[in-house]
């Protein structure tokens, strides 16, 4: 009779995510993953197949569960302009969420997108979801009169995504907080309040 699994998929993905986040895909071995999860390599292989599949599933989970702090608040925020600004403030650590230091999606984009089509698809999909969240929030802010008329919501959303991804790279590189703060100031400029 086969042994019953004593762990959940979510547990395994979250624990593996910690290592991939800290060390990156290429620098993380299956032995390290097994040790970190407290599982045998055979259990991990039986569940996920191989390290690459585990990583892709981890990346998907990160993309849906853990990306941009505050992004989940955008959909229901009563003041979408403020919620958009808060996404950037949380990223640099000026809100209640602790400073992340870097983003798994950004790390992966920088390390693997040019060589791994499956990873590229997952990362691009997550970025498109982020852009759509930004666009919907800008549209709501415009319709509620929180931003000045004439804002191109699609272009603004794309610019916000680019700014957010750049911010994540800056955070990862350890630049001083005044530079990071300038990014938040730029978001406020891109979403001008009505006169």
């Amino acid at each position: 009779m086969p042994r019953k699994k004593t762990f959940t998929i979510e547990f395994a993905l979250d624990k593996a995510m910690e290592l991939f986040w800290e060390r990156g895909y290429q620098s993380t071995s299956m032995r390290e993953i097994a040790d970190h999860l407290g599982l045998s390599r055979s259990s991990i292989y039986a569940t996920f197949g191989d390290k690459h599949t585990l990583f892709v599933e981890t990346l998907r989970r990160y993309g849906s569960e853990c990306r941009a702090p505050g992004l989940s608040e955008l959909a229901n925020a009563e003041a979408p302009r403020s919620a958009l600004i808060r996404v950037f403030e949380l990223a640099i650590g000026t809100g209640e969420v602790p400073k992340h230091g870097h983003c798994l999606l950004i790390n992966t984009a920088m390390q693997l997108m040019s060589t791994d089509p499956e990873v590229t698809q997952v990362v691009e999909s997550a970025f498109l979801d982020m852009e759509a969240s930004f666009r919907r929030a800008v549209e709501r802010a415009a319709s509620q009169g929180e931003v000045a008329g004439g804002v191109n919501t699609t272009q603004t959303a794309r610019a916000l995504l680019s700014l957010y991804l750049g911010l994540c790279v800056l955070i990862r590189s350890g630049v001083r907080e005044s530079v990071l703060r300038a990014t938040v100031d730029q978001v406020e400029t891109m979403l001008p309040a009505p006169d």
Side-chain angles (χ1 to χ4, degrees):
M1 184 163 119
R3 282 182 55 186
K4 188 176 174 184
K5 286 183 183 166
T6 58
F7 64 94
T8 65
I9 299 294
E10 293 78 14
F11 166 82
L13 292 175
D14 289 344
K15 293 296 281 182
M17 186 188 304
E18 293 171 1
L19 277 181
F20 289 132
W21 203 341
E22 180 183 326
R23 300 176 51 81
Y25 173 74
Q26 294 167 338
S27 298
T28 304
S29 71
M30 282 301 281
R31 177 182 296 280
E32 290 169 323
I33 293 168
D35 289 347
H36 190 69
L37 272 64
L39 301 170
S40 67
R41 282 185 283 176
S42 61
S43 292
I44 297 170
Y45 283 120
T47 303
F48 297 102
D50 58 23
K51 184 176 96 166
H52 185 266
T53 302
L54 171 62
F55 179 72
V56 170
E57 290 306 311
T58 299
L59 197 57
R60 283 192 176 107
R61 181 164 173 80
Y62 179 86
S64 64
E65 301 286 327
C66 308
R67 62 180 168 222
L71 202 57
S72 60
E73 298 174 17
L74 285 180
N76 301 313
E78 291 183 19
R81 181 182 184 272
S82 297
L84 280 162
I85 294 166
R86 183 170 163 74
V87 167
F88 287 79
E89 289 175 337
L90 288 172
I92 64 172
T94 58
E96 294 96 37
V97 175
K99 192 173 190 174
H100 288 302
H102 55 282
C103 170
L104 184 61
L105 290 170
I106 297 294
N107 290 352
T108 302
M110 293 171 64
Q111 294 171 5
L112 297 176
M113 276 186 73
S114 63
T115 60
D116 191 320
E118 189 173 12
V119 165
T120 298
Q121 188 276 326
V122 173
V123 172
E124 286 180 347
S125 176
F127 289 167
L128 286 172
D129 287 347
M130 291 173 69
E131 180 185 323
S133 294
F134 287 151
R135 187 185 68 251
R136 287 189 294 269
V138 173
E139 287 169 350
R140 287 180 46 243
S143 70
Q144 292 175 201
E146 288 188 309
V147 296
V151 170
N152 183 311
T153 57
T154 298
Q155 288 180 353
T156 301
R158 287 179 182 155
L160 287 170
L161 176 64
S162 297
L163 201 57
Y164 186 83
L165 299 179
L167 176 62
C168 290
V169 172
L170 290 173
I171 291 168
R172 183 179 183 210
S173 67
V175 301
R176 64 187 186 279
E177 184 148 343
S178 61
V179 174
L180 302 179
R181 186 70 220 173
T183 305
V184 178
D185 296 341
Q186 183 61 38
V187 173
E188 293 177 358
T189 301
M190 291 167 60
L191 300 168
D195 294 331

